[in-house]
Amino acid sequence: MDINSLLAPQDSPQVAPSSSNTTPKKPRKSRTTKPTGPTAASPSSKSSLPLPALAQSAPHQTSQQILSSPPISHPAPALRRAAEGTSDGVRSVRQGSTPGMDTLADLASMQHHQQTTRANAGGLRSTEIYESQGSANGPALPNLHASLPGRATLDHAMPDAPSQTAPTRNLATNALSETDSETMMELVTYLAANQFAYLSHIQLINLLHRGLRSHIQKYTSSTSGGRLPAYDLIAELRSAREAMNVRFAVGETLWIDWIEDEQFLATTFDECFAVMELCQKAVHEEPASTRLWSSYATWVTCLYAAATGDTAALEFVEHVVDIPEWSAEDKLVAAEVCSRQQLMDVWARGAKATKWRIDQSHTLWNTYAEFLLQDLKRSPNLDGQNALKAHFLDRLQTPHETWDRTFQMFSTFISDYENQSYEGIMTTVNQQCAGSKTAYGVREMSELAIMRAGEANSDALQFTKFTEYIEWERAQSRRKRAFVFELVDMLYRRVLLRFPATTEIWEGYLMFLNEEIVSHSRPEIDLLPSLDRATRHCPWSGSLWSQYLLAAERQRMPFPNIGQIKHKATNTGLLDAGGSEEVLQIYVAWCSILRRRAFQEESTDEELDVAEVGIRSAIEDMQRLGEAKYGIEYQGDPNYRLERIYIKYLTQSRNWHAARGSWKNLISSRGDSHEFWLRYYSWEMSTWGTISYSENATNAPSSPRPSEATKVLRTALKRPTLDWPERIIQVLQYHCEDHEDAAEIQASSVQIWKAKIAVKQRREKEAIEAYTATQAQPRQPIQSLNPEASADSAISFSSGKRKRDDDTKEPYDEAAKKPRNSEDHGSAEQAELLPTAPAELKRDRENATILVKNLPKDTSESRIRQYFRDCGTINSLVLAAEESTNTATATIEFESKEDSLTAQTKDLKDFDGRQIEVQVGSGCTVFLSNFPPTANEQWIREKFGLSGDIIDVRFPSLKYNTHRRFCYVQFKTADQARKATEFNGQVVGSNLKLVAKISNPGKRQDRTGALYEGREIYVRNLDHAVTERDLKAVFSKYGEVEKIRIPTNMSGRSKGFAFIAFSIKGEANAALEMNHTKLQSRVIGVEPATANGPAKRQATTVIRDDARSTASPPPDVHMTNGDHSTAPSPAPVENEQNKPSPTKIKARTVALLNVPDTVNDARILAIAEPYGPLAKVTLRPNHQGAVVEFKNVSDAGKAALGLDGYEITPGRFLGVGEVGEMMKQKAENKQDKLGNQAVKKPNAPVFPPSATSVRRPTQLGAKRGGRGGLPVISKGLVKKDKNEEGSQFSVPEGAGKSNADFKAMIADPKKDT
């Protein structure tokens, strides 16, 4: 069905509807059937030209918009009337039509126009790839000689839009070079054929503007004097600016240039006031710009001074603009237009519009306050005094950069007018307004970071700082009133002023406003102006346009106006260039509006016709667009959204046959998707229910059975390429049991039985093919999956002892990442994602876990283990109560997958009077990595708890790799786990992209790196003076030495062994001949490095400090080829006088005991830093401890007191002692299987006390024991922790320092050295 076929001859689409001639709506007629014949093609002209790709928005892109307002002109009455046109525009009034038929006519005209536009859009941005906005020197000119098709005019949408045409005269000028003049002529010609070539508009404007500046400079610098000659191309410059203003957002920078040029050129009364109108349009488009408001207000002030002679007003203006001499008559007119009240109004509006710009609002507010003070001084009165006082108080309660200056101004004001109450007023105001000063203080660093990024001319860095600033603002607590809506709103406006073409920011801003309206009761927020600005700046974004349409519908905008929004979105071809998905989003929103409007209570049959025509035309248009872009093989929208809207429309029209026909038409393209069949089945069931149980049904089925729904499922099972036939089998079985008779159940059982056999054979075949493919595929080296991850530049991670080559490192240098020697935390994820040959897994939690539901609420774990003990060995069991159903759910992990399959036989069996459900637990575990280093279990649960019920969080042990950073999160259901994967790719922490994937142990890959590839050797018994340079000189003869590490002790001295990595295994084997050879003063031992070798794992975090040259020095970039994650051994210290003694280092070092082996060094650093500056943090998971070295002895004492008994993980409390004590602790021995768990005593300590006593760190100048301290505690006594009675630590007899000693040490920091 074509749109024009619904129109009568007199209802030609060439005319437009008139809102003044409408007839009342007719009551809807009964509609029992609806024609459903094949749809005819709508008027269009196909184009085989490929549509150009529109680059996605980026931080450096400048603003783009399409305006429907007429161009700015001088205020001559005749010109104004010509620009504004008549009251009804260019369309004639059509008599005798109804709103529905008017809309049909509009749709036909719009449909024909937009398809003609698309057919001629091949040249759209064909030579423009959205580079950065041209500078003063002008960007590189695109290839203007390319063959480009002409573009249809857009007078239908923008009848007043000026357009460049081919030049009719010579545009040469002395202000431009010959090359620039030729370029300008080419640009004018190019834009005549490509009106929406954004960068060409920018280039032409910048070129003409540069010519004007050159012209002005040339004549103002000459000594001839006299009046400035006219610029030859001023008309072309103004025309170019007006043409761009109609089609795109001009942007703050171009607005400033435009206004300054017109201010300089204004010589007459009318021209001066035309500049004021230009300023009004600029601040209306960019209301958050302090620069534009300042320019506007300054110009009005200058006009006021010229008209009234009040030059005192110019004292508060920073940049005074010269105004030409006016006649006496002009001055009288100007004095009426630019009165004192008008001047004050402009400054007040500017101050109000930028009130919450905490960085620049003072540029307007301070000037406005000066004017108010001037007025009060000229005419003192109590009302004015009170108003100005309230004005000051409001300002002081608003966070801003110059709060102290405002407070000083207020102090002067009070001193002048209320001096008798000065102290009381100032004290009260200081107390009331101190919060706003504090609010700016906590934001000052973010403001400073943005300013520095701007000074560095780094758009990317500035964009990042703005984004982090917004995230921080939105995370502020509403309960504590730290969240301020106006600050967040203005921050969004600021970033959009800086990056106006960034769709992501616009969407975030609009979602923020939506959330405030819906969730936080702010009905005063009007979304439409923001959406209008968003779509003008990003006209290629279908998401923004669809939100615009939805908001217009919610606010009950007249339907013709909504249609104009849709038309403005689709008439330029920008959406097509952005991709078919962008166009589709518009059509989905539009068709949904048509459908909802058609079935409102007051709707008529004509609205039904409009909806059907509009929806079917949208489907046809999208099909043509897809075929033009992707070829004849285009299969349409994978989610068939428009078709579903049409089916919904037919269903609501009770046209069941036509709706069923639409479903059947989709089978050829969507029949392989089980989701399609389930939707089709659901529709059939819903239709059956509606028809069967409707009292007014006229076409009720002859059978009470849903036979059509049964046919859908049986048809689906006949497709051999169905993606998930198991699901259809299950639904068909349940459906027949619930709804069909015995004969149909028997017939379906046969089909289900055959389908199961076919599916089993198919899965076996697929498994064999997958195995064969993985066997034939060469093993690839693990690459970094997270090059974007960043780390704090103040910290570098080095290895005090060796670490494996597959350890996690922060990617300080991209060049350091070698495929063969990858050291990124992404390797843990790739171990899951990269395919490998099937291998026997040590522990297959994901596939050996079941979920048991509907258990009695009061059941016990022992009862469940007893019930399932005959199924196999149970590794773990987690029991959780379900409050909503008064039941319990258990997650049981078995020893093997076969055991879990056996346990599934108990599904629907009786358990203590309840019929339990046993489901496979696979797919319930999410693999997480690349989260912030300081993240703990609480952070994981808070972050992912929104996705569902978390059963368990498992961090890896760091005993053999201290830089591992990943974990496994087990959810109650697979759906919850899949929902948690939506966090994948989300930026957290310091620009880290979170990795969240469904865990699949079958895809783990063997570890790679020098250690596991046999390319690393272990050298022991080294002389302590041996350096990396010495080792490289000796071992380089065997091959290429990639890396050398010599672990050091606390004082920076070598520990006497090293690790050397070669490029290939053969070179490492050849180097073994150095075993039992003499190097300097010792006979060394050389052997292959192993994971369980004599060198234990540790992680050392070195805090950079030039004052201390011996605290495990920072990495040498030249020696490690840019690999900052590992540090070479230190060279011998040249200045031994500055080297602290071991005694001093020991005095400022604290050993932490009972540290779980899942805690990394970043978390130790986080809890130790509050006590004072650190020199070094060393993690020793193989001894359940960590060594923290402070820079000051007093800080070490504070930490010893504060960290003693600190709960680092649930149920684990830290102890404090000396390094030697910690080194005697053994590695944590975990037993997480039920069969091997030891029975815990009621009040057993959290960790076993050491064989020797716990000692406080020795302090400089301190004596052990002595008077004035605590009494000596004899050996064997224990001190109970203040937070947990079960936490006990042994205290040695006569060891450690008393509390008095610690207090003295803290109080007298001069003892620190």
Side-chain angles (χ1 to χ4, degrees):
M1 178 185 297
D2 182 55
I3 297 176
N4 294 312
S5 65
L6 295 175
L7 303 178
Q10 66 272 19
D11 296 324
S12 171
Q14 296 177 355
V15 294
S18 172
S19 59
S20 60
N21 292 278
T22 59
T23 59
K25 296 183 178 180
K26 298 181 295 183
R28 175 176 294 175
K29 301 177 182 179
S30 61
R31 302 173 58 89
T32 56
T33 59
K34 191 74 178 175
T36 57
T39 305
S42 299
S44 65
S45 59
K46 292 188 177 181
S47 173
S48 60
L49 293 174
L51 294 174
L54 179 65
Q56 295 298 325
S57 58
H60 66 272
Q61 291 176 331
T62 48
S63 62
Q64 308 174 40
Q65 70 184 43
I66 301 173
L67 299 176
S68 57
S69 59
I72 299 169
S73 60
H74 296 298
L79 291 178
R80 284 202 196 97
R81 287 193 297 269
E84 293 170 359
T86 60
S87 60
D88 56 352
V90 296
R91 299 178 180 179
S92 60
V93 178
R94 187 179 65 208
Q95 301 293 335
S97 63
T98 63
M101 300 307 294
D102 289 343
T103 305
L104 286 174
D106 282 347
L107 285 172
S109 176
M110 291 160 57
Q111 180 87 352
H112 173 75
H113 171 74
Q114 74 184 42
Q115 299 205 6
T116 304
T117 298
R118 289 201 187 100
N120 292 281
L124 179 64
R125 303 168 189 257
S126 57
T127 58
E128 307 202 2
I129 314 299
Y130 276 94
E131 300 170 355
S132 59
Q133 179 172 320
S135 61
N137 297 326
L141 181 68
N143 182 14
L144 301 179
H145 302 286
S147 176
L148 298 170
R151 186 169 179 83
T153 61
L154 299 179
D155 293 340
H156 180 80
M158 292 173 290
D160 299 318
S163 61
Q164 291 87 355
T165 58
T168 58
R169 63 183 181 87
N170 186 8
L171 299 181
T173 176
N174 295 331
L176 294 174
S177 64
E178 182 178 352
T179 302
D180 287 344
S181 298
E182 293 177 356
T183 301
M184 178 182 57
M185 295 182 66
E186 291 175 342
L187 281 168
V188 172
T189 305
Y190 180 77
L191 286 170
N194 303 274
Q195 298 181 19
F196 289 90
Y198 176 74
L199 281 185
S200 293
H201 281 281
I202 297 292
Q203 291 170 359
L204 179 61
I205 291 172
N206 284 336
L207 193 61
L208 293 170
H209 171 70
R210 189 166 72 247
L212 174 62
R213 291 298 179 183
S214 176
H215 173 78
I216 294 173
Q217 184 179 6
K218 177 180 178 181
Y219 285 95
T220 55
S221 61
S222 64
T223 58
S224 59
R227 185 176 180 180
L228 177 69
Y231 178 46
D232 298 334
L233 303 178
I234 187 61
E236 283 71 18
L237 175 58
R238 285 171 173 160
S239 176
R241 282 169 168 164
E242 290 172 355
M244 181 175 179
N245 183 36
V246 170
R247 295 170 177 84
F248 302 101
V250 176
E252 183 186 45
T253 302
L254 291 182
W255 272 121
I256 291 294
D257 291 343
W258 192 350
I259 292 172
E260 289 179 352
D261 289 350
E262 294 297 342
Q263 287 176 348
F264 185 85
L265 296 173
T267 57
T268 66
F269 176 81
D270 285 345
E271 289 175 347
C272 289
F273 280 88
V275 174
M276 188 169 68
E277 293 181 1
L278 187 68
C279 292
Q280 291 174 354
K281 293 181 181 293
V283 297
H284 176 74
E285 181 176 310
E286 303 293 350
S289 172
T290 54
R291 294 178 61 194
L292 290 175
W293 274 109
S294 295
S295 181
Y296 179 24
T298 298
W299 181 251
V300 172
T301 304
C302 293
L303 293 181
Y304 164 77
T308 63
D310 185 6
T311 56
L314 301 177
E315 296 177 3
F316 312 124
V317 177
E318 186 175 356
H319 302 290
V320 178
V321 184
D322 293 333
I323 304 297
E325 282 294 329
W326 293 336
S327 64
E329 182 181 357
D330 288 342
K331 287 185 178 181
L332 290 176
V333 176
E336 293 180 1
V337 178
C338 289
S339 62
R340 181 77 177 191
Q341 183 59 39
Q342 173 72 8
L343 177 145
M344 298 298 291
D345 180 65
V346 172
W347 282 105
R349 286 166 51 207
K352 181 179 179 181
T354 60
K355 172 182 177 180
W356 294 96
R357 279 203 62 165
I358 63 177
D359 61 327
Q360 295 179 2
S361 59
H362 58 275
T363 59
L364 289 157
W365 190 93
N366 289 349
T367 305
Y368 179 45
E370 294 289 356
F371 277 115
L372 291 175
L373 287 170
Q374 187 184 67
D375 286 349
L376 184 62
K377 185 179 295 184
R378 289 179 177 179
S379 57
N381 61 88
L382 185 59
D383 291 340
Q385 178 180 326
N386 291 334
L388 186 53
K389 181 179 179 181
H391 185 63
F392 269 110
L393 291 177
D394 177 71
R395 180 61 174 169
L396 288 171
Q397 291 175 350
T398 304
H400 60 281
E401 182 178 317
T402 59
W403 192 92
D404 290 329
R405 180 184 174 185
T406 305
F407 190 77
Q408 183 62 40
M409 292 176 64
F410 179 67
S411 173
T412 304
F413 168 76
I414 295 298
S415 178
D416 292 341
Y417 293 94
E418 298 184 33
N419 190 40
Q420 66 280 5
S421 305
Y422 176 83
E423 293 184 0
I425 293 175
M426 297 305 296
T427 301
T428 302
V429 170
N430 191 31
Q431 294 174 352
Q432 292 178 349
C433 305
S436 61
K437 182 179 181 181
T438 304
Y440 176 78
V442 299
R443 293 165 174 83
E444 187 173 11
M445 294 306 297
S446 298
E447 294 289 341
L448 184 62
I450 292 173
M451 183 186 70
R452 289 176 176 173
E455 293 174 350
N457 292 324
S458 174
D459 288 348
L461 179 59
Q462 198 170 18
F463 182 82
T464 300
K465 295 302 180 184
F466 265 122
T467 304
E468 293 174 352
Y469 195 178
I470 289 174
E471 290 178 354
W472 179 85
E473 283 283 13
R474 296 194 62 174
Q476 297 306 297
S477 172
R478 294 177 185 266
R479 178 178 299 178
K480 298 179 180 179
R481 298 184 179 180
F483 176 88
V484 182
F485 166 77
E486 291 80 4
L487 288 178
V488 185
D489 180 72
M490 184 54 71
L491 186 56
Y492 268 113
R493 290 172 180 262
R494 286 172 57 189
V495 70
L496 289 170
L497 191 67
R498 180 64 183 85
F499 303 104
T502 307
T503 307
E504 177 187 357
I505 298 296
W506 276 112
E507 290 179 345
Y509 178 44
L510 294 171
M511 289 301 104
F512 164 70
L513 294 180
N514 260 318
E515 182 184 9
E516 292 297 316
I517 295 172
V518 176
S519 302
H520 303 290
S521 302
R522 293 185 182 271
E524 70 277 5
I525 298 176
D526 187 4
L527 273 178
L528 290 180
S530 298
L531 284 163
D532 182 62
R533 294 185 61 235
T535 51
R536 293 202 311 266
H537 283 81
C538 303
W540 58 83
S541 173
S543 173
L544 294 178
W545 282 109
S546 61
Q547 290 185 55
Y548 197 0
L549 290 172
L550 181 61
E553 183 189 20
R554 286 185 58 194
Q555 297 193 20
R556 300 185 180 277
M557 181 181 288
F559 181 68
N561 294 358
I562 299 177
Q564 283 301 108
I565 294 175
K566 182 261 180 186
H567 178 45
K568 192 166 72 169
T570 57
N571 71 342
T572 64
L574 290 176
L575 281 171
D576 300 355
S580 59
E581 176 63 24
E582 305 298 332
V583 184
L584 184 59
Q585 290 186 62
I586 294 291
Y587 278 128
V588 169
W590 172 246
C591 293
S592 297
I593 292 173
L594 292 178
R595 182 191 62 78
R596 288 191 292 268
R597 179 173 174 269
F599 295 99
Q600 293 175 352
E601 291 183 0
E602 67 276 10
S603 60
T604 65
D605 282 352
E606 289 177 355
E607 272 132 4
L608 282 168
D609 293 335
V610 170
E612 181 171 14
V613 170
I615 296 172
R616 296 181 66 171
S617 298
I619 295 173
E620 296 170 8
D621 197 28
M622 281 305 306
Q623 185 64 28
R624 275 190 296 272
L625 176 62
E627 291 177 358
K629 192 166 188 176
Y630 304 107
I632 194 65
E633 66 277 2
Y634 176 68
Q635 297 295 318
D637 174 25
N639 296 314
Y640 45 96
R641 282 165 282 185
L642 293 177
E643 289 82 356
R644 283 157 50 191
I645 294 173
Y646 185 48
I647 292 172
K648 179 68 173 178
Y649 164 81
L650 293 174
T651 303
Q652 288 181 284
S653 301
R654 304 183 68 83
N655 193 349
W656 323 112
H657 179 71
R660 185 174 292 115
S662 298
W663 280 113
K664 292 180 178 179
N665 291 337
L666 289 171
I667 293 177
S668 59
S669 58
R670 301 288 167 247
D672 290 341
S673 170
H674 75 281
E675 293 181 351
F676 164 78
W677 291 104
L678 292 179
R679 282 199 180 105
Y680 186 5
Y681 164 75
S682 298
W683 179 85
E684 287 287 4
M685 290 299 296
S686 175
T687 302
W688 170 75
T690 302
I691 296 175
S692 298
Y693 301 107
S694 175
E695 296 180 357
N696 299 323
T698 58
N699 52 351
S702 58
S703 172
R705 296 183 293 105
S707 56
E708 291 294 337
T710 309
K711 290 179 183 178
V712 169
L713 297 175
R714 298 190 66 172
T715 303
L717 281 183
K718 294 178 182 179
R719 293 187 68 89
T721 55
L722 187 63
D723 57 352
W724 193 10
E726 294 91 338
R727 177 61 176 157
I728 302 298
I729 291 173
Q730 184 184 41
V731 174
L732 177 59
Q733 184 175 356
Y734 293 158
H735 168 79
C736 292
E737 292 173 354
D738 294 340
H739 301 287
E740 291 294 352
D741 56 15
E744 184 61 37
I745 293 176
Q746 196 169 29
S748 298
S749 299
V750 175
Q751 185 179 8
I752 291 173
W753 178 73
K754 292 180 178 180
K756 287 183 177 180
I757 295 175
V759 169
K760 181 180 179 181
Q761 295 173 348
R762 172 182 165 184
R763 297 306 185 203
E764 291 176 351
K765 181 180 178 182
E766 290 173 351
I768 294 173
E769 291 175 351
Y771 177 78
T772 304
T774 55
Q775 286 292 94
Q777 182 178 0
R779 182 167 298 181
Q780 299 293 330
I782 298 178
Q783 301 290 334
S784 170
L785 293 182
N786 243 330
E788 299 90 350
S790 63
D792 190 348
S793 59
I795 303 175
S796 64
F797 294 91
S798 61
S799 294
K801 287 192 175 181
R802 75 168 306 280
K803 78 180 180 80
R804 299 182 302 185
D805 284 81
D806 65 336
D807 291 350
T808 301
K809 79 177 186 71
E810 297 292 341
Y812 287 91
D813 189 356
E814 189 71 19
K817 300 175 184 176
K818 298 184 179 179
R820 182 174 50 196
N821 191 21
S822 175
E823 297 186 359
D824 192 90
H825 48 264
S827 60
E829 177 194 4
Q830 286 176 324
E832 295 208 353
L833 300 182
L834 296 181
T836 60
E840 183 178 356
L841 301 174
K842 294 181 179 179
R843 188 167 182 178
D844 189 4
R845 285 187 176 94
E846 285 72 13
N847 294 319
T849 300
I850 62 170
L851 191 67
V852 185
K853 298 182 178 180
N854 203 33
L855 290 164
K857 186 176 181 180
D858 55 352
T859 191
S860 63
E861 292 186 9
S862 60
R863 175 70 182 95
I864 297 174
R865 288 199 300 270
Q866 181 183 10
Y867 185 81
F868 285 96
R869 64 185 177 184
D870 58 333
C871 300
T873 303
I874 297 177
N875 283 346
S876 66
L877 189 152
V878 179
L879 185 62
E882 300 287 348
E883 299 295 339
S884 59
T885 59
N886 199 29
T887 61
T889 301
T891 303
I892 305 175
E893 178 202 345
F894 287 90
E895 183 73 18
S896 64
K897 181 179 180 180
E898 289 74 17
D899 295 342
S900 66
L901 294 176
T902 304
Q904 293 178 43
T905 60
K906 295 183 179 292
D907 185 30
L908 303 180
K909 298 295 179 64
D910 181 76
F911 181 96
D912 294 347
R914 281 186 175 271
Q915 190 179 55
I916 61 173
E917 299 178 16
V918 181
Q919 301 175 0
V920 179
S922 60
C924 299
T925 302
V926 176
F927 169 81
L928 299 180
S929 70
N930 211 29
F931 41 78
T934 56
N936 54 14
E937 181 175 343
Q938 180 182 359
W939 188 93
I940 298 294
R941 289 184 178 274
E942 291 178 355
K943 182 74 173 177
F944 291 88
L946 300 176
S947 301
D949 299 324
I950 297 178
I951 301 298
D952 190 22
V953 179
R954 303 191 303 273
F955 284 90
S957 172
L958 306 182
K959 285 190 292 185
Y960 301 107
N961 185 348
T962 56
H963 295 276
R964 303 168 83 184
R965 190 173 359 127
F966 61 90
C967 70
Y968 295 92
V969 182
Q970 184 179 357
F971 289 87
K972 183 177 292 185
T973 65
D975 290 338
Q976 294 175 355
R978 282 193 294 269
K979 185 177 181 181
T981 60
E982 296 176 1
F983 288 94
N984 186 53
Q986 185 180 102
V987 177
V988 295
S990 300
N991 201 25
L992 298 172
K993 282 192 175 180
L994 194 66
V995 176
K997 306 281 188 180
I998 297 296
S999 178
N1000 188 350
K1003 293 186 179 180
R1004 286 180 181 151
Q1005 195 176 51
D1006 294 338
R1007 291 168 177 161
T1008 60
L1011 175 66
Y1012 297 101
E1013 294 171 5
R1015 299 186 288 107
E1016 187 174 73
I1017 61 174
Y1018 168 62
V1019 183
R1020 52 184 170 80
N1021 201 34
L1022 286 174
D1023 190 294
H1024 293 291
V1026 172
T1027 64
E1028 287 185 2
R1029 188 176 293 114
D1030 299 332
L1031 291 176
K1032 190 169 185 179
V1034 173
F1035 286 91
S1036 293
K1037 62 183 177 181
Y1038 298 104
E1040 179 185 356
V1041 176
E1042 285 190 345
K1043 188 180 300 182
I1044 299 176
R1045 293 192 295 276
I1046 303 178
T1048 59
N1049 59 18
M1050 289 191 300
S1051 62
R1053 188 184 183 190
S1054 168
K1055 290 189 174 183
F1057 59 90
F1059 299 90
I1060 304 175
F1062 290 88
S1063 60
I1064 60 176
K1065 182 177 180 179
E1067 297 170 350
N1069 291 335
L1072 296 179
E1073 70 177 29
M1074 288 291 295
N1075 188 34
H1076 295 161
T1077 60
K1078 188 173 183 180
L1079 179 61
Q1080 292 188 7
S1081 62
R1082 294 189 180 183
V1083 176
I1084 63 174
V1086 182
E1087 59 189 58
T1090 60
N1092 297 320
K1096 303 300 182 183
R1097 295 344 183 238
Q1098 68 178 33
T1100 301
T1101 302
V1102 179
I1103 314 301
R1104 297 180 183 272
D1105 184 7
D1106 296 335
R1108 178 171 180 222
S1109 60
T1110 60
S1112 297
D1116 184 351
V1117 178
H1118 301 287
M1119 293 299 294
T1120 59
N1121 297 322
D1123 185 359
H1124 291 243
S1125 65
T1126 58
S1129 58
V1133 180
E1134 297 179 1
N1135 190 356
E1136 293 292 338
Q1137 295 178 353
N1138 296 330
K1139 179 179 178 181
S1141 64
T1143 303
K1144 294 180 180 180
I1145 296 175
K1146 184 177 181 180
R1148 60 193 188 194
T1149 299
V1150 174
L1152 302 180
L1153 310 178
N1154 196 35
V1155 178
D1157 62 4
T1158 58
V1159 174
N1160 58 18
D1161 51 349
R1163 291 175 59 186
I1164 298 296
L1165 187 70
I1167 65 173
E1169 273 187 325
Y1171 295 98
L1174 302 176
K1176 183 167 63 176
V1177 173
T1178 302
L1179 186 68
R1180 297 306 299 262
N1182 54 326
H1183 293 289
Q1184 300 187 61
V1187 180
V1188 182
E1189 180 185 343
F1190 290 85
K1191 294 181 181 179
N1192 302 318
V1193 176
S1194 60
D1195 295 336
K1198 295 176 185 177
L1201 291 174
L1203 295 178
D1204 190 11
Y1206 178 84
E1207 187 176 11
I1208 190 167
T1209 60
R1212 291 291 292 267
F1213 298 89
L1214 295 180
V1216 178
E1218 291 187 345
V1219 177
E1221 184 64 30
M1222 180 205 66
M1223 297 298 291
K1224 295 179 181 179
Q1225 301 294 327
K1226 294 183 180 180
E1228 189 173 358
N1229 185 18
K1230 296 182 178 179
Q1231 294 290 343
D1232 56 353
K1233 296 185 179 181
L1234 295 174
N1236 299 328
Q1237 285 182 333
V1239 178
K1240 295 182 179 180
K1241 296 182 179 180
N1243 293 321
V1246 177
F1247 69 98
S1250 58
T1252 58
S1253 58
V1254 178
R1255 302 170 61 190
R1256 300 288 187 187
T1258 305
Q1259 309 298 330
L1260 289 178
K1263 299 180 180 179
R1264 296 196 175 276
R1267 299 178 181 178
L1270 293 176
V1272 176
I1273 302 177
S1274 59
K1275 198 169 185 177
L1277 296 179
V1278 296
K1279 182 191 80 172
K1280 291 191 176 182
D1281 182 69
K1282 57 185 178 182
N1283 297 325
E1284 178 95 2
E1285 290 184 359
S1287 177
Q1288 305 173 8
F1289 304 103
S1290 299
V1291 180
E1293 180 179 358
K1297 301 192 67 66
S1298 67
N1299 284 347
D1301 292 331
F1302 276 109
K1303 291 178 181 178
M1305 180 178 61
I1306 296 172
D1308 188 12
K1310 294 182 179 180
K1311 295 181 180 180
D1312 302 350
T1313 57

